Amino acid sequence: MSPTLETPIEYLKGVGPQRGALLRSELEIHTYGDLLQLFPNRYIDRTRYYTINQLTHSPTEVQVIGKIVHLKTVQTGKTKSRLVATFIDDTGEMELVWFQGHKWIKENLKLNQPYVAFGRVAQYAGTPSMAHPELEALEEHQNSLRTAIQPVYPSTEKLANKGISNRALLKMMQQLFLETGGQFSETLPAYLMENLKLVSKREALWQIHFPKDQEGLLKAQFRLKFEELFFIQLQLITKNLVRKHKIKGMPFTQVGAHFNTFYTQHLPFPLTHAQKRVIKEIRNDLGSQAQMNRLLQGDVGSGKTIVAFMTMLLATDNGYQSCLMAPTEILAQQHYNSIQALAAPLGLQVELLTGSTKTAERNRLFAALADGSCSIVIGTHALLEDKVQFQNLGLSVIDEQHKFGVAQRSRLWQKNTVPPHILVMTATPIPRTLAMSLYGDLDISVIDELPAGRKPIQTVHRYDANRLKVWKFLKDEIAKGRQVYIVYPLIQESEKMDYKDLMDGYESISRDFPLPDYAISIVHGKMKPAEKEAEMQRFAQGKTQIMVATTVIEVGVNVPNASVMVIESAERFGLSQLHQLRGRVGRGAEQSYCILMTSHQLSQESKTRLETMCRTNDGFEIAEVDLKLRGPGDIMGTQQSGILNLQIADLVKDKDILQLARSYALELLKKDPTMERPEHQTLRAVFLALSRKKNIWNYIS
């Protein structure tokens, strides 16, 4: 019986039990099919030859034809030496250098014979140089098979140590094609292949592992990337359609007295066009028969809370209760304060439930939720407790949802026989490509303009040497009656060190801003919640002018009078964190400033981050740069990072292919939602097999 793609990997000739166990533990390769999906992460092009005058410093290996005209040994220390060969062609000369094995190399090199030198090039004093090149006599080289594009496979230290080199993986791959006869069945419908001029699945897999030339390789990559993204989008869109089809929502047909009175008489400021557009999108969802699942994205300060509140009013007008769940007590408290202020003129009762709510208060609240007399509750994950029972929960608003796990969110669904409408809010701008992949099953609304009268925050980068000037600027701002944040980084591994940084900073600030002229608050992770709360309150009430803190203040704290944010060791923060911190100022009508303090030693990546911060206030632009710098896994944090173990596509580089895949998936599902048509039979089979597999899609919620 010939092997299939489900055959365990140890049965492949040349693998066996020991190597099989290693491939399983190191690369999660369990079957022939898994090995087939181990795509090369780069290629060495041995079809191209460079002349010496074309050589530049490059991260990839190159090959040059020339001859050695001179050899010398250079002493570099008492016991160390290196062998240097002068290698020339018609266009110039370069150096070949060996630090070990001189004797053997020297004996075997022939002067004035044509060789092919292969390796990485560096420049030393204007001369190209190649360390430990692979050398092959030109005649031998021309007769060997290695003059093609060679794949380089992902590997680990352990595999290399145990002798599973790149060459060994390539051999296994050749064996796999030999044993299976390269018979891989097609997964995409014929009309799609024709429209997009895609190569067959069989051809794509052959060319990705054994490319003939660049053109063949590019066609294979395009085909496989499209397929991977296409199936992800099919999965997400199907999930969305099924949910809309199966899960009936509660139709909010009334736009009643609460909503209208608030809109006409009590709006604290006119809504922006973006806010109006988003409210309209939400109203359409709520009026339809389906359950709403919408992601509301908007930068810090773009006015998401008022949109959430107006959605809650629609629920109230239709006789339903609403809850808003926030990840921290501080944030829940803040939402409570702002929503209570908005609800007061309408005579609506708003309640707060967090871990520190007292027992008597809790019991009263539980009763009010159960009998329906409380229509709006704000809280932390205390809202998920079994004791919290609603009379008829119609809307759940979840703030900063990536801080909550999937299981936690689904518990809110179960608080009613008909699942409530869901509105997820985030101030972390998610690049479009990432949103399409992570939240492709949610409908997305974006608030992309700030309320009128808000001045853009001015951001500058200053080195530690300019500290005196910065302190002078802070004193001038405080003299105008403003308040200041000074934030220190917190890196989990070394809390002691960070605590020391913060305390040292606090001491020197206390010396430079002495009592009684200046009062300082301090907030850090080692304080008890009540102490933190008290310090935050002092600052919010204007009793202290300076708040020295670790990143605890990233979420929450709304102090319109604070107009300066100083971020110490700014190079130690990620872009999205810097952007979130900056959003803590600029909440009042005054001009606000963000000052990024760093040492002089900065990596290229840190420079890019700081330049981006100084150049733009647009969260989406910042998120795009962040995605390029860090990749999708890091941006979504640990809970989400397992998701997109994409095998060949890359969300940053392949966003055009992603959009193409999404548009084709949408079109197909519009015409044939269950993939029942004859031309979609293969597609349906692959789709169902993927859905059963514990693959990336199980993580996307």
Side-chain angles (χ1 to χ4, degrees):
M1 208 179 87
S2 64
T4 70
L5 294 181
E6 296 303 316
T7 305
I9 194 65
E10 42 271 25
Y11 291 105
L12 184 72
K13 188 178 170 195
V15 177
Q18 277 180 316
R19 282 182 151 193
L22 266 173
L23 289 171
R24 283 172 193 270
S25 65
E26 292 296 293
L27 294 174
E28 294 206 6
I29 292 173
H30 303 273
T31 63
Y32 279 34
D34 293 336
L35 180 62
L36 189 64
Q37 301 285 331
L38 178 72
F39 298 122
N41 46 18
R42 64 190 181 92
Y43 295 86
I44 295 169
D45 187 353
R46 298 203 71 164
T47 58
R48 177 167 179 194
Y49 298 90
Y50 288 78
T51 54
I52 291 174
N53 65 353
Q54 292 174 327
L55 297 177
T56 53
H57 201 98
S58 104
T60 51
E61 294 90 343
V62 294
Q63 50 190 4
V64 187
I65 300 173
K67 49 193 179 187
I68 295 171
V69 293
H70 182 64
L71 269 177
K72 62 177 177 189
T73 305
V74 180
Q75 284 301 127
T76 50
K78 277 184 184 166
T79 53
K80 289 185 178 171
S81 62
R82 63 174 187 265
L83 179 66
V84 180
T86 308
F87 190 72
I88 66 161
D89 69 1
D90 298 339
T91 69
E93 65 174 60
M94 67 186 287
E95 288 188 341
L96 307 179
V97 186
W98 292 268
F99 296 96
Q100 290 138 338
H102 305 180
K103 189 168 176 288
W104 186 86
I105 292 162
K106 214 168 174 176
E107 283 166 10
N108 285 281
L109 286 181
K110 297 187 173 76
L111 293 183
N112 296 311
Q113 291 282 339
Y115 279 106
V116 177
F118 174 77
R120 289 189 186 185
V121 176
Q123 295 278 351
Y124 286 108
T127 307
S129 152
M130 197 182 272
H132 289 271
E134 259 182 50
L135 275 185
E136 203 172 13
L138 181 61
E139 197 180 344
E140 252 175 70
H141 176 80
Q142 283 163 341
N143 295 333
S144 83
L145 260 177
R146 288 203 316 226
T147 51
I149 298 175
Q150 291 177 13
V152 179
Y153 289 100
S155 185
T156 65
E157 208 175 327
K158 199 166 177 187
L159 286 177
N161 292 342
K162 298 276 185 188
I164 303 183
S165 60
N166 194 57
R167 226 164 149 175
L169 285 167
L170 191 57
K171 266 193 150 143
M172 290 177 196
M173 205 61 81
Q174 286 170 332
Q175 187 60 33
L176 174 82
F177 274 78
L178 207 71
E179 290 186 23
T180 55
Q183 299 302 322
F184 308 119
S185 43
E186 192 45 71
T187 50
L188 296 173
Y191 71 87
L192 193 92
M193 306 266 300
E194 210 164 296
N195 276 354
L196 288 166
K197 309 262 184 294
L198 297 176
V199 297
S200 71
K201 176 85 178 201
R202 183 184 174 179
E203 168 75 2
L205 287 167
W206 176 256
Q207 287 286 348
I208 204 90
H209 292 296
F210 313 108
K212 257 200 327 277
D213 50 33
Q214 280 293 347
E215 194 190 349
L217 176 59
L218 289 172
K219 283 182 174 167
Q221 287 174 326
F222 182 80
R223 150 77 210 227
L224 294 168
K225 286 174 175 188
F226 176 84
E227 180 180 357
E228 181 167 43
L229 296 167
F230 179 69
F231 277 107
I232 289 182
Q233 293 303 325
L234 275 182
Q235 199 90 7
L236 287 166
I237 298 161
T238 305
K239 202 166 162 185
N240 196 351
L241 292 173
V242 164
R243 191 154 32 185
K244 284 184 175 162
H245 190 68
K246 265 196 188 156
I247 303 175
K248 291 286 168 258
M250 300 156 244
F252 291 3
T253 48
Q254 299 293 317
V255 176
H258 287 104
F259 186 93
N260 286 327
T261 310
F262 179 76
Y263 188 69
T264 51
Q265 295 170 30
H266 301 296
L267 264 182
F269 43 78
L271 296 178
T272 62
H273 292 301
Q275 285 172 314
K276 286 179 183 167
R277 182 187 70 237
V278 170
I279 290 172
K280 201 169 172 183
E281 289 167 352
I282 290 172
R283 272 176 54 178
N284 288 343
D285 282 357
L286 297 175
S288 77
Q289 293 300 308
Q291 179 218 14
M292 170 170 86
N293 263 291
R294 193 165 275 282
L295 172 69
L296 173 57
Q297 281 186 269
D299 244 338
V300 176
S302 60
K304 294 184 295 294
T305 311
I306 203 154
V307 170
F309 176 64
M310 290 173 80
T311 310
M312 291 172 165
L313 293 181
L314 287 170
T316 310
D317 282 339
N318 286 276
Y320 290 101
Q321 294 166 295
S322 314
C323 71
L324 185 156
M325 185 164 80
T328 63
E329 283 206 17
I330 293 173
L331 202 49
Q333 179 71 48
Q334 208 163 315
H335 277 305
Y336 170 71
N337 296 344
S338 45
I339 286 175
Q340 193 185 32
L342 295 169
L346 302 170
L348 274 178
Q349 185 190 353
V350 181
E351 297 286 358
L352 176 68
L353 175 66
T354 66
S356 45
T357 307
K358 302 277 186 292
T359 312
E361 180 62 14
R362 257 169 200 260
N363 294 338
R364 182 191 64 75
L365 181 53
F366 292 159
L369 289 172
D371 69 19
S373 58
C374 164
S375 57
I376 297 177
V377 62
I378 316 289
T380 53
H381 35 267
L383 288 170
L384 300 173
E385 291 167 17
D386 294 337
K387 284 184 185 157
V388 180
Q389 295 295 331
F390 292 85
Q391 188 187 32
N392 54 354
L393 179 64
L395 170 72
S396 292
V397 182
I398 302 171
D399 195 25
E400 292 302 341
Q401 76 116 34
H402 58 276
K403 301 239 166 70
F404 294 106
V406 179
Q408 286 179 305
R409 295 201 300 275
S410 63
R411 279 174 50 196
L412 273 179
W413 278 50
Q414 293 147 12
K415 296 279 181 186
N416 202 344
T417 41
V418 179
H421 295 291
I422 305 275
L423 180 66
V424 169
M425 303 199 295
T426 177
T428 310
I430 301 160
R432 218 184 117 65
T433 45
L434 206 53
M436 272 170 20
S437 310
L438 293 172
Y439 301 118
D441 59 331
L442 295 177
D443 300 305
I444 297 179
S445 292
V446 178
I447 303 184
D448 46 14
E449 59 181 309
L450 288 177
R454 287 271 173 100
K455 297 190 176 88
I457 301 164
Q458 284 185 20
T459 306
V460 293
H461 171 210
R462 294 286 181 263
Y463 291 109
D464 291 336
N466 305 42
R467 189 169 296 281
L468 289 175
K469 282 187 180 164
V470 173
W471 271 192
K472 159 111 179 50
F473 175 72
L474 297 189
K475 287 179 174 166
D476 293 346
E477 284 296 294
I478 292 171
K480 292 181 197 163
R482 315 265 189 275
Q483 288 166 284
V484 177
Y485 291 106
I486 301 177
V487 178
Y488 286 82
L490 181 71
I491 297 185
Q492 263 74 34
E493 288 85 43
S494 59
E495 280 197 3
K496 288 191 187 73
M497 185 175 111
D498 298 311
Y499 184 64
K500 179 180 170 302
D501 274 4
L502 179 80
M503 292 330 264
D504 287 353
Y506 177 66
E507 278 172 24
S508 70
I509 292 163
S510 306
R511 280 197 300 276
D512 294 332
F513 295 85
L515 285 161
D517 302 339
Y518 303 97
I520 303 172
S521 282
I522 183 166
V523 174
H524 55 79
K526 294 197 170 177
M527 294 164 76
K528 294 191 173 70
E531 293 172 352
K532 270 191 222 169
E533 191 54 48
E535 285 289 286
M536 296 249 194
Q537 285 309 328
R538 283 178 64 209
F539 186 67
Q541 290 156 6
K543 291 178 182 166
T544 58
Q545 294 89 4
I546 300 174
M547 158 79 81
V548 178
T550 53
T551 43
V552 218
I553 62 153
E554 186 182 338
V555 237
V557 251
N558 184 4
V559 183
N561 191 40
S563 66
V564 186
M565 166 66 71
V566 179
I567 303 175
E568 294 283 356
S569 309
E571 73 275 17
R572 285 165 65 184
F573 290 91
L575 248 183
S576 57
Q577 231 187 347
L578 288 171
H579 181 62
Q580 288 273 339
L581 285 167
R582 171 167 66 184
R584 296 291 120 226
V585 295
R587 294 176 158 242
E590 304 306 331
Q591 176 63 58
S592 289
Y593 304 90
C594 174
I595 303 170
L596 307 170
M597 303 291 296
T598 71
S599 64
H600 271 282
Q601 290 168 319
L602 294 176
S603 67
Q604 197 44 55
E605 196 180 296
S606 300
K607 284 181 186 156
T608 308
R609 287 203 295 263
L610 298 167
E611 279 159 15
T612 307
M613 284 294 293
C614 295
R615 187 184 75 243
T616 178
N617 276 302
D618 176 349
F620 287 93
E621 193 182 331
I622 286 170
E624 288 289 349
V625 177
D626 203 19
L627 182 61
K628 283 193 184 112
L629 289 176
R630 293 197 298 162
D634 292 338
I635 287 192
M636 297 322 297
T638 44
Q639 278 163 336
Q640 307 269 19
S641 60
I643 3 182
L644 293 167
N645 303 334
L646 292 173
Q647 279 164 317
I648 188 164
D650 174 318
L651 286 184
V652 183
K653 298 190 187 100
D654 302 321
K655 55 180 182 216
D656 297 346
I657 305 180
L658 171 64
Q659 301 203 349
L660 189 70
R662 186 166 175 87
S663 65
Y664 270 94
L666 276 165
E667 203 174 312
L668 185 146
L669 291 169
K670 221 181 265 169
K671 291 179 187 152
D672 184 13
T674 48
M675 296 181 245
E676 297 286 355
R677 288 186 185 180
E679 68 267 32
H680 293 150
Q681 288 311 298
T682 325
L683 189 73
R684 182 183 159 84
V686 177
F687 179 80
L688 292 172
L690 278 175
S691 309
R692 282 194 298 271
K693 231 172 146 185
K694 186 181 180 307
N695 205 317
I696 50 181
W697 297 303
N698 293 16
Y699 293 100
I700 298 180
S701 78

